[in-house]
Amino acid sequence: MVKTRAIIDEFDTYVPGKSKKEISEKYGVPENEILKLGSNENPWGPAPGVKEAILNAIPEMNRYPESNHEYLKEKIAEYAGVNKNQVIVTGDGADELLDILAKTLIDPGDEFIVHPPTYMYYSFTFKQYNAKAVYAKWNVKENKLDVQSVLDNITDKTKVIFLCTPNNPTGGLIPQEDIIKIIESTDALVVIDEAYWEFSEVNNVNLLDKYDNVFIIRTFSKVMGLAGLRIGYGLSNPELLEKISRIKPVFSLTVPSQKAVLATLADKEFIKESTKKSIAEREYLYESVNAIDNLHIYKSKSNYLLIDVRNSGFTAKELTSKLMEKGIIVRDCTSFYGLDEYYIRISVETHPKNEKFIKILKEIVGN
Amino acid sequence: MVKTRAIIDEFDTYVPGKSKKEISEKYGVPENEILKLGSNENPWGPAPGVKEAILNAIPEMNRYPESNHEYLKEKIAEYAGVNKNQVIVTGDGADELLDILAKTLIDPGDEFIVHPPTYMYYSFTFKQYNAKAVYAKWNVKENKLDVQSVLDNITDKTKVIFLCTPNNPTGGLIPQEDIIKIIESTDALVVIDEAYWEFSEVNNVNLLDKYDNVFIIRTFSKVMGLAGLRIGYGLSNPELLEKISRIKPVFSLTVPSQKAVLATLADKEFIKESTKKSIAEREYLYESVNAIDNLHIYKSKSNYLLIDVRNSGFTAKELTSKLMEKGIIVRDCTSFYGLDEYYIRISVETHPKNEKFIKILKEIVGN
């Protein structure tokens, strides 16, 4: 047998999530009645113009995608309020950004700082490059970053510091003054993950012109409603982006993805409405779960919410499984480093589906 | 400025190819009259069923793609004549396969063997992981692999040996007896790149059950007519594939790409016809260029052909540029390690376009 790298043995065997089809077959819930509150998507679907844009591109699916992304960068820059040369666009969503950041910055033994509980893909990706994860802390109870825990962990081996705001899965924001404190304490790259910024209505783009060591991560998978097309973008200083572009996959952004970006950004009303509806449903879910005595839900600035289920008599795994039997997919957060086995995360669905979820949730936890 | 890895400085600044739009604007050729003989695509477009398949998937573009690929693997296994557990499917075409192979196998300082001139992305990718390229040799004159040059370069640091058959950009095949000789001489993984195998009508799938150290690379970007959707697949032993799947990007294959795979494989006639037409046009191009006195064209088993232009009075760069002025894109092979500045590569277009290309080529080289 071919010898694989030692680090491969530190990763678990991949276990894919159940598909709607599998859930439907197992629990007898019709596929179109399954509620997906597990993946922080935009449940209202893509912008209407996406359909025609993709259809028009079908005859050119046999051709390699354009790789310079000039026109995409122009439109994204406009949307984000930056210059075109401060933008980089990726395939495979923001996950590809993480990979090329590691590839550009990490030599074996270098350190990166994360604040658990937070998005797990930072560590998943950076560990593949033999980087060492150093753990700062997100204060779950107060739903805020323990800034001192980040500052205390900076060493001369720190290459990247990940700040997730709003934080996934807790939904809390990191105030800009805290971010600045961190940026000014280090030469490491401070990566601000703003995948969900639209739902919080604040961002940190203004820091780009002041600081060289800032990289903002964005995605079209959330409010833009295009998770299935795997589009990410990064905002940073042109000099760093030029270095990254040297080793970036050349063709990873598909033809339909490129067309969908343009169709979506052209539809300001869609983005505005999706944001508004997501926020309204988030608040509906908050109020509804907050009224259930034996569940504790955290306030959120994103399109998902964290729930502490320990007083319900169920573990997260048990509750997730009970919900799945009814055709409802939520995220069991047990696998999130920094959380124990009593948290689930729910993301917004359309209103009738959220109502249905709340009804079934109440039936299960008996409130 | 944030410090990047030393290896980044060994890569050139990325220079994207000119888009049709740019060529059209620069040389005044209408965009729809530009001939693209540069990228080894299927010029007849995707299978007719792809359109409906993608159209039907538009409402679910807001959802993450399925990540288990079970159904895709089943259909690909059927097509390739292997078992489902011998298949892995990737986004970003076969290029993602190269990246995850490096990620699974390469520690800094490990060696890989390539046989220049060959596909450049092997080295582009593996160097990013601080692997050392070791050069065997493709005999261009006889258009065949110098097998001994591979065997002579195997050391205990060799982790991967790349064999490209048909070889890009020369079009020659590697006989299976030579491949076996190499496989049996090493514990390294022998990666057989069969991106273009359909045009040669032979493959090496029968080796998979005999040898553990074989990995076959395939793509939907060539005869399948889906370069714009970035779909690749690998065939190997289940144990190695399990290891790779631990660190593989989870969602990199987009929703439309998944639908297009199924629609394409369901259309056996499309695949057969595309293969047949590509071979016919390849032979037409061969005969036509072969009749031009001051050009030397190599026989090819793929959908592209290598041309030695040194007797035309032009370098490859000059001839490529002359052709581009007329709206014709061919591949200047000067950047291929192992070739000098006198080679271009052309790939098949539809017949009327190939005729037009030959006419203009003759005008330029004066034959």
Side-chain angles (χ1 to χ4, degrees):
Chain A
M1 178 59 194
V2 171
K3 200 169 155 281
T4 53
R5 289 169 63 215
I7 192 81
I8 301 297
D9 296 326
E10 294 180 28
F11 287 86
D12 296 327
T13 297
Y14 176 65
V15 184
K18 281 196 178 56
S19 67
K20 280 193 176 183
K21 191 160 168 276
E22 288 168 301
I23 294 169
S24 170
E25 280 164 9
K26 188 159 178 193
Y27 300 111
V29 183
E31 253 189 82
N32 61 2
E33 285 181 25
I34 290 173
L35 308 189
K36 206 168 166 226
L37 288 81
S39 303
N40 308 345
E41 297 149 337
N42 173 346
W44 295 277
V50 165
K51 183 172 177 171
E52 205 192 332
I54 291 182
L55 263 191
N56 290 340
I58 302 256
E60 45 178 301
M61 294 291 174
N62 59 323
R63 304 295 182 180
Y64 280 85
E66 277 198 23
S67 62
N68 54 24
H69 301 163
E70 285 307 309
Y71 198 54
L72 298 182
K73 285 183 196 170
E74 200 177 302
K75 294 296 171 187
I76 289 171
E78 236 175 80
Y79 172 73
V82 301
N83 294 321
K84 191 172 130 182
N85 65 0
Q86 292 175 303
V87 181
I88 192 165
V89 194
T90 54
D92 197 22
D95 293 345
E96 184 178 302
L97 282 174
L98 300 177
D99 192 75
I100 57 180
L101 280 172
K103 212 169 254 170
T104 307
L105 299 168
I106 296 296
D107 285 312
D110 285 343
E111 297 176 356
F112 64 98
I113 299 177
V114 285
H115 53 66
T118 190
Y119 186 46
M120 299 288 284
Y121 219 89
Y122 311 137
S123 294
F124 173 73
T125 304
F126 271 58
K127 280 183 179 175
Q128 295 173 9
Y129 289 83
N130 278 102
K132 191 185 157 208
V134 173
Y135 299 109
K137 208 185 137 191
W138 187 272
N139 183 327
V140 177
K141 202 168 239 176
E142 298 179 27
N143 207 357
K144 68 175 204 185
L145 177 66
D146 179 341
V147 184
Q148 198 55 44
S149 76
V150 176
L151 299 176
D152 288 348
N153 278 298
I154 296 173
T155 73
D156 54 5
K157 284 191 171 173
T158 309
K159 283 292 163 62
V160 173
I161 299 170
F162 287 103
L163 302 178
C164 188
T165 180
N167 186 38
N168 179 6
T170 67
L173 276 178
I174 308 176
Q176 189 169 81
E177 63 197 72
D178 289 346
I179 296 176
I180 290 174
K181 221 179 279 177
I182 293 165
I183 293 171
E184 293 187 342
S185 308
T186 182
D187 293 327
L189 188 67
V190 178
V191 175
I192 308 172
D193 184 350
E194 293 188 352
Y196 301 92
W197 84 267
E198 283 93 343
F199 309 112
S200 74
E201 301 173 287
V202 295
N203 67 52
N204 296 284
V205 161
N206 64 315
L207 300 180
L208 288 171
D209 288 332
K210 268 185 255 171
Y211 301 102
D212 261 357
N213 60 334
V214 173
F215 193 103
I216 295 178
I217 285 182
R218 298 278 184 89
T219 179
F220 275 72
S221 301
K222 304 305 173 186
V223 74
M224 303 297 186
L226 296 173
L229 290 177
R230 317 303 302 124
I231 306 150
Y233 64 100
L235 310 174
S236 191
N237 76 75
E239 200 182 335
L240 177 60
L241 296 185
E242 187 278 316
K243 299 257 187 161
I244 293 175
S245 70
R246 296 182 189 192
I247 51 89
K248 181 178 179 287
V250 178
F251 292 117
S252 60
L253 192 66
T254 72
V255 168
S257 309
Q258 299 198 19
K259 305 295 178 185
V261 164
L262 299 178
T264 304
L265 292 181
D267 192 346
K268 305 263 175 294
E269 197 53 33
F270 163 80
I271 302 172
K272 205 174 123 191
E273 278 304 304
S274 295
T275 307
K276 209 172 121 186
K277 286 186 285 189
S278 301
I279 292 173
E281 291 308 316
R282 173 187 79 205
E283 294 310 315
Y284 168 75
L285 284 171
Y286 177 82
E287 295 302 336
S288 307
V289 177
N290 200 37
I292 302 176
D293 279 348
N294 56 6
L295 296 176
H296 177 68
I297 187 162
Y298 289 85
K299 278 203 175 290
S300 167
K301 286 290 186 183
S302 196
N303 70 339
Y304 51 80
L305 303 110
L306 186 71
I307 305 177
D308 181 335
V309 306
R310 75 191 68 230
N311 293 331
S312 70
F314 296 110
T315 62
K317 193 179 165 192
E318 288 162 353
L319 185 55
T320 303
S321 164
K322 288 262 174 208
L323 286 163
M324 194 173 281
E325 285 170 26
K326 303 283 182 187
I328 296 172
I329 304 170
V330 301
R331 176 67 192 260
D332 171 4
C333 292
T334 308
S335 62
F336 273 91
Y337 187 80
L339 288 179
D340 65 20
E341 65 271 35
Y342 293 104
Y343 293 90
I344 66 168
R345 190 194 64 198
I346 58 171
S347 54
V348 300
E349 253 293 355
T350 56
H351 193 68
K353 292 184 176 176
N354 288 332
E355 281 185 328
K356 187 174 166 191
F357 162 71
I358 292 293
K359 184 171 163 282
I360 292 173
L361 179 67
K362 281 181 178 169
E363 284 167 15
I364 293 172
V365 302
N367 245 200
Chain B
M1 177 59 195
V2 171
K3 199 169 157 280
T4 53
R5 289 169 63 215
I7 192 80
I8 302 297
D9 295 327
E10 295 180 27
F11 287 86
D12 296 326
T13 297
Y14 177 65
V15 183
K18 281 195 177 58
S19 68
K20 279 193 176 183
K21 190 160 167 277
E22 288 168 300
I23 294 169
S24 170
E25 280 165 9
K26 188 159 178 193
Y27 302 110
V29 183
E31 254 189 79
N32 61 3
E33 285 181 24
I34 290 173
L35 308 190
K36 204 167 166 226
L37 288 83
S39 302
N40 309 345
E41 297 148 336
N42 173 347
W44 294 278
V50 165
K51 184 172 177 170
E52 205 190 332
I54 292 181
L55 187 61
N56 290 340
I58 302 251
E60 44 178 302
M61 294 290 174
N62 58 325
R63 302 296 182 179
Y64 280 86
E66 277 199 22
S67 62
N68 55 23
H69 300 164
E70 286 307 309
Y71 198 56
L72 298 182
K73 285 183 196 171
E74 201 176 302
K75 294 297 171 187
I76 288 171
E78 236 175 80
Y79 172 74
V82 301
N83 293 321
K84 191 172 131 182
N85 65 0
Q86 292 174 303
V87 181
I88 193 165
V89 195
T90 54
D92 197 21
D95 294 345
E96 185 179 300
L97 282 174
L98 299 177
D99 193 74
I100 57 181
L101 280 172
K103 213 170 253 170
T104 307
L105 299 168
I106 297 296
D107 285 312
D110 286 342
E111 297 176 357
F112 64 99
I113 298 178
V114 285
H115 53 66
T118 191
Y119 186 46
M120 299 288 284
Y121 219 88
Y122 311 137
S123 295
F124 173 72
T125 304
F126 272 57
K127 280 183 179 175
Q128 295 172 9
Y129 289 84
N130 279 100
K132 189 185 159 209
V134 174
Y135 298 109
K137 207 186 138 193
W138 186 273
N139 182 327
V140 176
K141 202 167 239 174
E142 298 179 26
N143 207 358
K144 69 176 204 185
L145 177 66
D146 179 341
V147 183
Q148 197 55 44
S149 76
V150 176
L151 299 176
D152 288 348
N153 277 299
I154 296 173
T155 74
D156 54 4
K157 286 192 170 172
T158 309
K159 284 290 165 63
V160 174
I161 300 171
F162 287 103
L163 302 177
C164 187
T165 181
N167 186 39
N168 179 4
T170 66
L173 277 178
I174 307 177
Q176 190 170 80
E177 61 196 73
D178 289 346
I179 296 176
I180 290 175
K181 221 179 276 177
I182 293 165
I183 294 171
E184 293 188 343
S185 308
T186 182
D187 293 327
L189 187 68
V190 178
V191 176
I192 307 172
D193 184 350
E194 293 188 350
Y196 301 93
W197 83 269
E198 284 94 343
F199 308 113
S200 74
E201 299 172 289
V202 295
N203 67 53
N204 297 284
V205 161
N206 64 314
L207 300 181
L208 288 172
D209 287 332
K210 270 187 254 173
Y211 301 102
D212 261 357
N213 60 333
V214 172
F215 193 104
I216 295 177
I217 285 182
R218 297 278 184 90
T219 179
F220 275 73
S221 301
K222 305 305 174 183
V223 73
M224 303 297 187
L226 296 172
L229 289 178
R230 318 301 302 122
I231 306 149
Y233 65 100
L235 309 174
S236 191
N237 76 76
E239 200 182 334
L240 177 59
L241 296 185
E242 187 278 316
K243 298 259 186 157
I244 293 175
S245 71
R246 296 181 187 190
I247 52 87
K248 182 179 179 285
V250 178
F251 293 117
S252 60
L253 193 66
T254 72
V255 169
S257 308
Q258 299 198 19
K259 306 294 180 186
V261 164
L262 299 178
T264 304
L265 292 180
D267 192 346
K268 304 265 176 293
E269 197 54 31
F270 164 80
I271 302 172
K272 203 174 124 191
E273 278 303 304
S274 294
T275 307
K276 207 171 123 187
K277 286 186 283 190
S278 300
I279 292 173
E281 290 309 315
R282 172 187 79 206
E283 295 309 316
Y284 168 75
L285 285 169
Y286 177 81
E287 296 302 335
S288 307
V289 176
N290 199 37
I292 301 176
D293 279 347
N294 57 7
L295 296 176
H296 177 67
I297 187 162
Y298 289 85
K299 277 201 174 293
S300 167
K301 285 292 186 182
S302 195
N303 70 340
Y304 51 81
L305 303 110
L306 186 71
I307 305 177
D308 181 334
V309 307
R310 77 190 67 231
N311 292 331
S312 70
F314 296 110
T315 62
K317 192 179 167 193
E318 289 163 352
L319 184 56
T320 302
S321 165
K322 287 265 173 205
L323 286 163
M324 194 174 280
E325 285 171 25
K326 303 283 181 185
I328 297 172
I329 304 170
V330 300
R331 176 66 193 264
D332 172 3
C333 291
T334 307
S335 62
F336 273 92
Y337 186 80
L339 288 179
D340 65 20
E341 66 270 36
Y342 293 105
Y343 293 91
I344 66 167
R345 191 193 64 199
I346 58 171
S347 54
V348 300
E349 254 292 354
T350 57
H351 192 69
K353 291 185 176 175
N354 288 332
E355 281 185 328
K356 186 174 166 191
F357 162 70
I358 292 293
K359 184 171 163 283
I360 292 172
L361 180 66
K362 281 182 179 168
E363 285 167 15
I364 293 172
V365 301
N367 246 198

